Amino acid sequence: MRTMDFLPIFMNIRGQRSLIVGGGEVAARKAALLLQAGAEINLVSPELLGNLKDMHAEGGIHFRQGTFEEGDLEGISLVIAATDDEAVNRRVSELARARRLPVNVVDNPDLCTFIFPSIIDRSPVQIAVSTGGSSPVLARLLRTRLEAAIPSAYGRLAAMVEQFRDEVKTRFSSVNARRKFWEEVLQGKIAELVFSGQDGAAEAELKRAVAEGIERDSGEVYLIGGGPGDPDLLTFRALRLMQQADVIVYDRLISKEVLELTRRDAHRIYVGKERDNHSVPQDQINQLLVDLAKEGKRVCRLKGGDPFVFGRGGEEIETLTANGVHFQVVPGITAALGSSSYAGIPLTHRDYSQAVVFVTGHLKDGSMNLNWKGLAQPNQTIVFYMGLKGLPVICEKLMEHGLPADLPIALVQQATTPRQRVFTGTLGDMPERIASEEVKPPTLIIVGNVVKLHDKLNWYRSELMIEKGEH
């Protein structure tokens, strides 16, 4: 079995004197960590640079100007050498070791008795990642991946748990009973309340659970915005809930790349929602969510874009509320923002547009009875969702209400995915331009002078695809 190069431990240095030798930016970073851990810092250097000057001015460190001397080690509990002089660093290490003081020499593991890991701070929860000094860059990359998987709310959850530890010990006499209780708390409704920012409700529920025991969760619905298609645009919270759901209810607007990030063994239910071909009517989808939750399932209702921007999320949570089903809503990047960004078309611009309005091109009764006069305003960008079928009517009505025939317009197909295509034209010629094209939904229509910037700014899309290895 391979031995460890370093023993992973957490050291309490609160109120203890630490010595830093060095006065540059590396020393400043180490000083900031020690201050965060509550240490008293003595620092020795010929001069102070950058942030160390501010720390000294604020009284955070005790500074002695000069070179390192053996007497600097008196009364010290921990030592850091952070100079650019290898001879000085080696001398600090040797003298500290002789006194059996823990010592770190930056970027030289051979001279260290301890090293600084890459830290994920969710205080009081802390996670340290280390490669034993062999590759700090790899440790940083691993930390970044873990950061994405561990919500910042875990710190608040841990602090709440700490408040109830003694009560739980009194309530449950055996270790196994306490373990089972905390597993239910940390993986169930109480934890989710904290993650969704409802700390007060979580604390009340935890207090009730300590007194009465935890009832088996009756199920929950996660109404998640899946964004416009690129999985990189999902929020951390969306990804976490997608990977813990028992059932995934999704429709045509969810890209295959996003769907692949859901839990592998979850049951997937496709509900269609194609234009003019709703394979499952909305009222049946609403009831399906209720029924699944009441079976005790954790249900991910995965919706394209944002659930509350033409996503009918409001209708779904009305039904959930009426049936007493607990739910969470996770916002997503709506199609207008994703499409405009990846197409190089800002929705507002000081020179072209001072307002933007989102409108659906398809009403509940199938009509397009819109406020055309309000839409046909100068210096305004109009974004039409679900407007592909009604494009000729959109162009005709906007011109009829005063917008010029040469006003630019763009149609973005399957935005933010490798299948994205952008068609540009004017109100006067756009229907004819796409008549011979095979345009595939979902699409978004952007009307306004900001479309003039597409050719100039569309480098972003091409650069992004090159970076991802897509062509």
Side-chain angles (χ1 to χ4, degrees), residues 17-19 42 72-79 101:
R17 291 172 59 198
S18 300
L19 173 68
N42 288 4
D72 292 320
L73 296 173
E74 292 296 332
I76 296 298
S77 299
L78 179 144
V79 182
L101 294 176

Side-chain angles (χ1 to χ4, degrees), residues 231-412:
D232 286 353
L233 299 180
L234 288 168
T235 65
F236 291 159
R237 186 170 163 216
L239 186 59
R240 178 177 59 82
L241 294 177
M242 286 164 58
Q243 293 180 344
Q244 74 179 37
D246 304 306
V247 182
I248 312 297
V249 178
Y250 70 102
D251 54 45
R252 179 184 57 89
L253 294 178
I254 296 300
S255 69
K256 62 181 181 181
E257 294 88 353
V258 168
L259 189 61
E260 285 173 0
L261 293 177
T262 59
R263 204 176 94 195
R264 293 291 181 187
D265 61 341
H267 179 47
R268 296 178 179 178
I269 301 176
Y270 176 67
V271 292
K273 305 295 290 179
E274 293 185 52
R275 188 185 70 203
D276 298 332
N277 181 24
H278 294 184
S279 60
V280 181
Q282 184 63 50
D283 59 346
Q284 291 185 27
I285 295 175
N286 299 348
Q287 190 59 47
L288 174 65
L289 300 178
V290 171
D291 294 342
L292 290 169
K294 289 196 170 183
E295 291 174 9
K297 302 289 198 312
R298 293 171 295 186
V299 185
C300 167
R301 173 60 171 119
L302 196 52
K303 305 176 76 68
D306 181 275
F308 284 179
V309 181
F310 306 123
R312 304 186 76 169
E315 298 175 41
E316 293 177 357
I317 65 171
E318 278 186 311
T319 303
L320 296 174
T321 301
N323 286 271
V325 174
H326 189 264
F327 62 87
Q328 297 185 45
V329 180
V330 182
I333 292 179
T334 189
L337 302 182
S339 299
S340 63
S341 295
Y342 279 54
I345 303 173
L347 294 180
T348 61
H349 189 285
R350 188 167 55 178
D351 297 332
Y352 298 103
S353 174
Q354 289 74 55
V356 59
V357 58
F358 298 168
V359 60
T360 175
H362 179 74
L363 300 185
K364 189 173 182 180
D365 60 2
S367 70
M368 290 189 68
N369 184 24
L370 302 174
N371 180 9
W372 297 107
K373 183 177 179 180
L375 295 175
Q377 299 296 316
N379 301 318
Q380 175 173 274
T381 304
I382 316 165
V383 180
F384 288 90
Y385 287 67
M386 297 168 283
L388 177 59
K389 184 178 180 181
L391 178 62
V393 176
I394 289 171
C395 294
E396 177 186 341
K397 289 293 185 181
L398 291 176
M399 289 187 291
E400 187 180 299
H401 285 79
L403 291 183
D406 62 355
L407 185 68
I409 178 174
L411 188 149
V412 187

